[in-house]
Amino acid sequence: MNEITPFLHISDARTAYALSEIDHPFDEVVTLGYAHVLGRECPRESTTGDQFVFTDGPHDYETFKAAVDYGLEAVEQGEVTLIHCQAGVSRSCSVCSAILAVHKGIDIDEARARVKQVRPRVDPEPRVWKSAVRYVDEHPQTD
């Protein structure tokens, strides 16, 4: 798992599943996934379960938006928040970038660069990234 800010972290599902075995600092563990499609349960530590299910590629913007809203609210309330998807590369990067851009009042591309700085392998799927750009365009920045 990688720290983007003290209140925002990014990871993959494998790490999220392992959280139950350690004393972790997270108040919120936001799962962006479709574990049921893979025949898995959501990680036990997930505070959102399968509330935010969307795939890389074609997806429902409203689900993406709801995930960002949830994570942004947690971060703004000072809750230590982990955002994870299956690989920690696309959906989680896009959601974290949108949260960071709105919360810090920075451009979405700068937010993505900051996420990439701590997790170099991020590579958002273009349609999911488009949702991140749309989210930031539609929401006033809070910082």
Side-chain angles (χ1 to χ4, degrees), residues 64-105:
F64 179 91
K65 178 183 176 299
V68 178
D69 287 344
Y70 187 95
L72 180 61
E73 182 178 343
V75 167
E76 289 182 342
Q77 291 178 1
E79 296 179 343
V80 180
T81 305
L82 174 67
I83 308 287
H84 81 90
C85 61
Q86 188 61 32
V89 172
S90 179
R91 286 168 289 158
S92 57
C93 171
S94 298
V95 168
C96 284
S97 295
I99 291 169
L100 188 63
V102 173
H103 182 65
K104 292 290 187 182

Side-chain angles (χ1 to χ4, degrees), residues 18-41:
L19 289 177
S20 63
E21 301 170 11
I22 63 171
D23 184 26
H24 66 80
F26 303 112
D27 301 308
E28 294 285 347
V29 177
V30 180
T31 300
L32 309 172
Y34 49 99
H36 64 287
V37 172
L38 302 173
R40 295 184 176 169
E41 298 289 325

Side-chain angles (χ1 to χ4, degrees), residues 94-137:
S94 298
V95 168
C96 284
S97 295
I99 291 169
L100 188 63
V102 173
H103 182 65
K104 292 290 187 182
I106 60 175
D107 178 78
I108 188 68
D109 291 320
E110 181 181 341
R112 180 180 174 176
R114 289 188 189 184
V115 173
K116 191 169 184 68
Q117 199 170 33
V118 300
R119 193 167 180 86
R121 64 183 167 269
V122 298
D123 185 23
E125 194 278 337
R127 290 164 287 192
V128 177
W129 182 248
K130 186 175 179 180
S131 289
V133 172
R134 176 180 171 185
Y135 185 93
V136 173
D137 287 346

